[in-house]
């Protein structure tokens, strides 16, 4: 059994860092051409380094600067991708941020920034991807599905998170966005799923693993007793995007070392 994404084109948002970079490399190693999206000029070097790893390993792709919370930029990213690669087969809605605050001190700017990237960004990219999937239709030389969307959600789509109301609200909403799209476009053979990471070692949560004390405290929440790596998410993303997962749609898959079994109850609560 082989995971193959040959002849397919994947847009991976926020692919210059962390989980997005892991997913971009996994999809490329399965044969997809990958659009390594990054948000600004500042992240260009990182995006180019990810693309270099892909091409050094024999893969194909480009870097593409686009702020996913900006409608004009998202529309242009999809138009340019279709011009250069012919179509889009896979969207990985990964870009995400945190702006943490005690709720009563949370500013509207903090709220809007997180909702803008984590939810509106996923809406804008999914809308452009689905339009392109429907325009192209099913092409069995690429995939037996018309298109695949994978939302990168979080364990916080089901675990409430004090001090992070904007982030938890954005991820809870992503779950309903994902299920609604799977329902609305199932008959068109468009598959839509979410991956819900637990604690993955990336810059977004550096405070939680960069000291031994913080790491020990984090591990006390994870029965499997290790922090996750971007590759753990990349492996599942490649499988989910492939035809091997053709009957999987409308669901959230947790990749969390059993964090969602609530370790604190392991001794009876
Ligand atoms: P990260 O900070 O390493 O990566 C986030 C990426 O998103 C970066 O490449 C960043 O440049 C990009 N980004 C931010 N704003 C953007 C914008 N407006 N337009 C385009 N790109 C933008 O963090 P990560 O941990 O790799 O996070 C990736 C995703 O995984 C996020 O959606 C995050 O919520 C989710 N997640 C992470 C963890 C974890 O433990 N690391 C757990 C659960 C969910």
């Amino acid at each position: 059994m082989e995971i193959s994404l040959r002849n397919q084109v994947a847009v991976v948002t926020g692919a210059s860092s962390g989980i997005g970079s892991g997913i971009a490399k996994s999809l490329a190693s399965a044969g997809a051409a990958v659009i390594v999206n990054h948000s600004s000029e500042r992240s260009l070097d990182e995006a180019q380094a990810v693309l270099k790893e892909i091409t050094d390993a024999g893969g194909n792709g480009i870097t593409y600067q686009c702020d996913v919370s900006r409608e004009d930029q998202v529309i242009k990213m999809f138009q340019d991708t279709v011009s250069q690669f012919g179509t889009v087969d896979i969207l990985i809605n990964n870009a995400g941020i945190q702006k943490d605050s005690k709720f009563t001190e949370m500013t509207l700017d903090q709220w809007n920034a997180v909702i803008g990237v984590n939810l509106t960004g996923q809406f804008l990219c999914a809308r452009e991807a689905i339009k392109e999937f429907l325009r192209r239709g099913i092409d069995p030389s690429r995939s037996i599905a018309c298109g695949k969307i994978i939302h990168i959600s979080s364990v916080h789509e089901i675990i409430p998170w004090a001090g992070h109301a904007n982030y938890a609200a954005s991820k809870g909403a992503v779950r309903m966005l994902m299920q609604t799209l799977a329902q609305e476009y199932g008959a068109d053979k468009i598959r839509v799923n979410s991956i819900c990471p637990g604690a993955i070692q990336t810059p977004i949560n550096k405070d939680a693993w960069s000291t031994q004390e913080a790491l020990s405290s984090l591990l006390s929440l994870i029965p499997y007793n290790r922090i996750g790596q971007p590759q753990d998410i990349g492996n599942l993303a490649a499988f989910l995007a492939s035809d091997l997962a053709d009957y999987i749609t409308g669901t959230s898959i947790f990749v969390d070392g059993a964090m969602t079994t609530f370790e604190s109850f392991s001794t009876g609560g």
Side-chain angles (χ1 to χ4, degrees), residues 12-23 37-40 43 46 64-70 73-74 77 93-98 113 116-118 121-122 151-156 161 167 170-171 195-206 209 218 227-228 230 233 255 259:
V12 183
T13 68
S16 55
S17 163
I19 290 172
S21 68
I23 293 174
N37 161 247
H38 63 103
S39 59
S40 67
S43 45
E46 282 183 317
Y64 197 99
Q65 184 180 326
C66 161
D67 176 342
V68 297
S69 68
R70 296 276 307 273
Q73 295 187 22
V74 171
M77 174 168 70
N93 250 337
N94 166 76
I97 57 171
Q98 285 181 222
V117 177
N118 297 15
Q122 295 217 8
H151 298 274
I152 303 304
S153 179
S154 167
V155 290
H156 296 295
W161 202 14
Y167 185 86
S170 74
K171 297 300 185 180
I195 298 178
C196 301
I200 309 297
Q201 191 167 18
T202 75
I204 209 173
N205 56 3
K206 195 162 188 288
W209 50 262
L218 179 67
I227 190 166
I233 307 300
V255 182
M259 184 184 262

Side-chain angles (χ1 to χ4, degrees), residues 210-234:
S210 52
T211 66
Q212 197 47 53
E213 198 185 355
L215 184 61
S216 300
S217 160
L218 179 67
L219 292 181
S220 73
L221 301 173
I222 307 171
Y224 205 59
N225 209 32
R226 77 165 170 86
I227 190 166
Q229 297 301 324
Q231 191 66 52
D232 291 313
I233 307 300

